[in-house]
């Protein structure tokens, strides 16, 4: 496999074209990030408008989009295998547009929830299909960086939502009641503009998706070899197209177009699927999304008022963006496995320190610094690398279905995490909750050390061949040799 990869490296890749395609596809990640986080800053204001005081109703407002995420992830595999990667991404853009308008215009709580669920379906589709599409068009030695761009756009979307919330919201008195907030512009109209601002990137994504090509690997799987060859030729020229298409066809020998769920249980696929599902669940249960979704409660428990909380939330977004940028070259340089080990170990230590801070009453700035450290570690490791691994470890034939299963597991885990945090926080307190997340991160560290292979620099087809032989517990050194 080494000689094959070295030969690919000699081809003249059209990097401008690859960048253009990847950035457009990654707009799905930007909308994912914005739609996911905007609700956190708007929370005190729409809760005042809809008179939400019941914790269960508050939790449902925050987690309702996750129902859509689960549904979107569940259908992403079928739509990707049946219609390709491009058309479902266009559908996601349409759903984001509908959700942005509907959530902003909602006159009652039930309609608000319906439009949040519609946006969630878009998130579920985009979260599965954007990284998979990017992985399928990227050269092997640059695949980690290009797929990580999707995580970068997610982070940009997160930061954009945080900045929009901060710019739109008027200052709020530290002792303001829900009735006081309802009487302000924030409570009447401000929160609507926070959600409505998503219309701009949603419409841009919708228009731009009509100008990107279909995935060459799906075209080959669908029997459209001439179109696949033309697409690969635009990426790296005729020689690159010829070799890459030959490798793709080799993985599809003897296969039919139809893919059934039962194929995920085959001995050659099942161990890889288990790794993908565990990594997807771990990325959520490591607890970092609690900080984004319940930032108001976390910072309030550390002594911050609403105005200080909004500024602190923006600080988390800036740190998230900075360390995601640092992570881009590291995914291919350092490797996936090492970064995952560093991330799980780092979060284990930081959560233990956060639990100790809350337990001992050392709040304020120390908690903020620990939160920023946790986000930095996550952005550098687990956030981009999980999506890279999910997009590349599954075989060509079942990639759409397997990616759907992994993403479905991720969003179910996210729903459980988001819904249970208020209960955990009430029962265990902030100290107990973060101690629990620390234990989960330690368990993730053990799993990654024992089960996750190094995949950097290996073509998707070569990687499929190695994993099909049962090489799912390779050390980085062996993985490098196999490449």
């Amino acid at each position: 496999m080494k000689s094959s990869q070295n030969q690919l490296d000699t081809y003249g890749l059209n990097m401008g074209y690859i960048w253009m395609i990847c950035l457009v596809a990654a707009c799905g990640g930007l909308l994912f990030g914005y739609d996911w986080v905007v609700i956190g800053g708007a929370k005190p204001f729409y809760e005042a408008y809809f008179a939400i005081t019941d914790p269960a109703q508050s939790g449902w407002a925050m987690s309702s989009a996750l129902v859509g995420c689960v549904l979107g992830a569940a259908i992403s595999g079928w739509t990707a295998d049946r219609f390709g990667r491009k058309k479902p991404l266009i559908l996601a853009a349409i759903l984001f547009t509908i959700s942005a308008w509907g959530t902003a215009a909602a006159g009652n709580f039930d309609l608000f929830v319906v439009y949040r669920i519609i946006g969630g379906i878009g998130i579920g589709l985009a979260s599965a299909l954007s990284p998979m599409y990017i992985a399928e068009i990227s050269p092997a030695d640059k695949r980690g960086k290009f797929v990580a761009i999707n995580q970068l756009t997610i982070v940009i979307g997160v930061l954009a939502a945080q900045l929009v919330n901060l710019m739109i919201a008027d200052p709020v008195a530290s002792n303001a009641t829900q009735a006081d907030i309802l009487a302000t512009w924030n409570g009447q109209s401000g929160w609507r503009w926070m959600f409505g601002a998503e219309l701009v990137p949603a419409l841009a994504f919708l228009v731009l998706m009509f100008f990107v090509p279909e995935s060459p690997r799906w075209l080959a799987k669908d029997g459209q070899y001439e179109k696949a060859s033309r697409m690969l030729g635009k990426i790296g020229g005729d020689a690159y197209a010829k070799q890459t298409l030959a490798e793709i066809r080799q993985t599809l020998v003897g296969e039919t177009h139809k893919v059934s769920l039962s194929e995920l249980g085959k001995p050659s696929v099942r161990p890889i699927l288990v790794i993908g599902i565990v990594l997807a669940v771990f990325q959520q249960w490591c607890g970092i999304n609690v900080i984004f979704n319940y930032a108001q409660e976390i910072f309030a428990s550390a002594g911050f008022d609403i105005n200080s909380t909004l500024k602190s939330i923006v600080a988390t977004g800036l740190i998230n963006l900075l360390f995601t940028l640092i992570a881009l070259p590291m995914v291919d340089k350092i490797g996936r496995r090492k970064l995952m080990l560093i991330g799980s170990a780092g979060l284990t230590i930081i959560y233990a320190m956060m639990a100790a801070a809350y337990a001992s009453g050392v709040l304020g700035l120390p908690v903020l610094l620990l939160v920023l450290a946790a986000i930095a570690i996550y952005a550098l490791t687990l956030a981009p690398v999980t999506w890279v691994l999910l997009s590349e470890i599954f075989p060509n034939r079942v990639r759409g279905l397997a990616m759907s299963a992994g993403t479905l597991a991720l969003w179910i885990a996210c729903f459980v995490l988001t819904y249970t945090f208020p209960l955990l926080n009430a029962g265990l307190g902030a100290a107990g909750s973060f101690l629990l997340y620390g234990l989960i991160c330690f368990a993730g560290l053990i799993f990654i050390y024992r089960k996750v292979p190094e995949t950097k620099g290996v073509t998707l087809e070569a990687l499929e061949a190695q994993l099909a032989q049962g090489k799912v517990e390779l050390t980085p050194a062996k993985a490098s040799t196999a490449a």
Side-chain angles (χ1 to χ4, degrees):
M1 293 299 175
K2 265 189 174 181
S3 59
S4 174
Q5 183 57 50
N6 290 337
Q7 187 178 355
L8 285 175
D9 291 340
T10 65
Y11 299 136
L13 298 172
N14 187 348
M15 296 305 296
Y17 184 65
I18 298 171
W19 271 104
M20 184 273 290
I21 298 172
C22 289
L23 287 173
V24 172
C27 286
L30 186 146
L31 287 158
F32 163 11
Y34 188 99
D35 198 272
W36 181 243
V37 169
V38 67
I39 193 169
K43 184 175 184 289
F45 311 130
Y46 73 74
E47 284 192 342
Y49 184 87
F50 293 123
I52 297 173
T53 56
D54 178 25
Q57 192 178 25
S58 177
W60 174 232
M62 289 292 293
S63 59
S64 57
L66 291 170
V67 174
C69 291
V70 170
L71 178 59
I75 66 172
S76 65
W78 176 78
T79 58
D81 284 330
R82 179 67 180 84
F83 302 107
R85 297 13 173 174
K86 178 177 176 176
K87 290 178 181 178
L89 281 172
I90 291 174
L91 174 60
I94 293 171
L95 294 173
F96 282 127
T97 303
I98 294 172
S99 175
W101 175 85
T103 309
N108 59 65
F109 181 66
D110 290 337
L111 275 177
F112 177 84
V113 167
V114 167
Y115 284 112
R116 286 295 295 165
I117 292 173
I118 290 173
I121 297 173
I123 293 176
L125 286 169
S127 62
L129 296 174
S130 288
M132 178 168 63
Y133 175 87
I134 294 170
E136 290 186 339
I137 66 168
S138 302
D141 63 332
K142 298 175 176 62
R143 189 175 61 241
K145 177 173 67 176
F146 279 117
V147 175
I149 289 171
N150 187 68
Q151 178 62 30
L152 175 63
T153 58
I154 293 174
V155 170
I156 292 173
V158 168
L159 180 59
Q162 294 165 338
L163 288 172
V164 166
N165 288 343
L166 181 63
M167 290 186 292
I168 288 176
D170 285 338
V172 179
S174 58
N175 60 346
T177 65
Q178 194 173 74
D180 295 332
I181 293 174
L182 179 60
T184 67
W185 183 81
N186 290 335
Q188 291 295 319
S189 303
W191 65 270
R192 297 184 184 278
W193 284 95
M194 293 175 181
F195 288 106
E198 187 183 353
L199 275 170
V200 175
L203 288 171
F205 180 42
L206 177 59
V207 171
L208 290 171
M209 273 306 303
F210 285 96
F211 295 93
V212 301
E214 182 53 81
S215 160
R217 285 176 168 84
W218 182 82
L219 289 171
K221 180 174 174 288
D222 196 50
Q224 301 181 55
Y225 296 114
E226 185 176 342
K227 288 185 178 180
S229 180
R230 286 201 301 269
M231 169 57 185
L232 290 167
K234 289 181 179 180
I235 292 175
D238 292 339
Y240 174 85
K242 182 177 180 180
Q243 179 179 332
T244 304
L245 186 58
E247 292 179 355
I248 295 172
R249 295 186 70 161
Q250 183 63 36
T251 66
L252 299 172
V253 169
E255 303 287 4
T256 60
H257 177 71
K258 187 176 180 181
V259 180
S260 65
L261 279 172
S262 62
E263 297 198 37
L264 297 182
K266 288 184 176 180
S268 61
V269 177
R270 187 172 58 247
I272 309 168
L273 182 64
V274 169
I275 291 175
I277 288 175
V278 171
L279 290 177
V281 171
F282 175 54
Q283 194 213 44
Q284 294 302 307
W285 284 3
C286 76
I288 208 73
N289 278 331
V290 163
I291 293 174
F292 287 118
N293 288 302
Y294 289 99
Q296 179 193 357
E297 286 86 344
I298 292 170
F299 287 123
S301 66
F304 293 88
D305 61 20
I306 291 180
N307 302 306
S308 298
T309 292
L310 286 174
K311 294 176 182 177
S312 298
I313 290 173
V314 171
T316 66
L318 290 171
I319 291 295
N320 200 9
L321 175 60
L322 173 62
F323 280 87
T324 300
L325 286 169
I326 296 172
L328 288 181
M330 294 175 65
V331 176
D332 284 320
K333 187 175 181 180
I334 294 179
R336 286 64 150 156
R337 187 175 185 270
K338 285 183 180 178
L339 286 175
M340 292 290 280
L341 289 171
I342 291 169
S344 51
L347 286 177
T348 299
I349 296 169
I350 292 171
Y351 284 149
M353 295 173 68
M354 288 181 68
Y358 275 106
S360 61
V362 180
L363 304 178
L365 183 60
V367 169
L368 175 59
L369 292 176
L370 286 172
V371 165
L372 295 179
I375 290 172
I377 290 291
Y378 178 76
L380 195 63
T381 58
L382 301 184
V385 178
T386 299
W387 289 112
V388 172
L389 285 169
L390 287 178
S391 69
E392 66 186 5
I393 63 174
F394 301 123
N396 274 338
R397 172 168 165 70
V398 297
R399 183 169 294 123
L401 201 58
M403 185 71 174
S404 175
T407 310
L408 176 62
L410 184 146
W411 287 117
I412 291 174
C414 190
F415 178 84
V416 172
L417 177 84
T418 306
Y419 191 80
T420 58
F421 177 73
L423 303 176
L424 287 175
N425 201 28
L428 302 176
S433 299
F434 283 109
L435 181 60
L436 176 60
Y437 296 141
L439 293 173
I440 291 173
C441 288
F442 182 73
L445 172 66
I446 301 301
F447 179 85
I448 293 165
Y449 180 77
R450 291 182 175 178
K451 297 291 183 180
V452 177
E454 182 55 72
T455 60
K456 68 172 183 176
V458 186
T459 66
L460 294 178
E461 289 67 43
L463 181 60
E464 177 177 340
Q466 294 170 42
L467 294 177
Q469 296 170 14
K471 299 179 180 180
V472 294
E473 296 187 32
L474 293 176
T475 63
K478 289 182 180 178
S480 177
T481 301

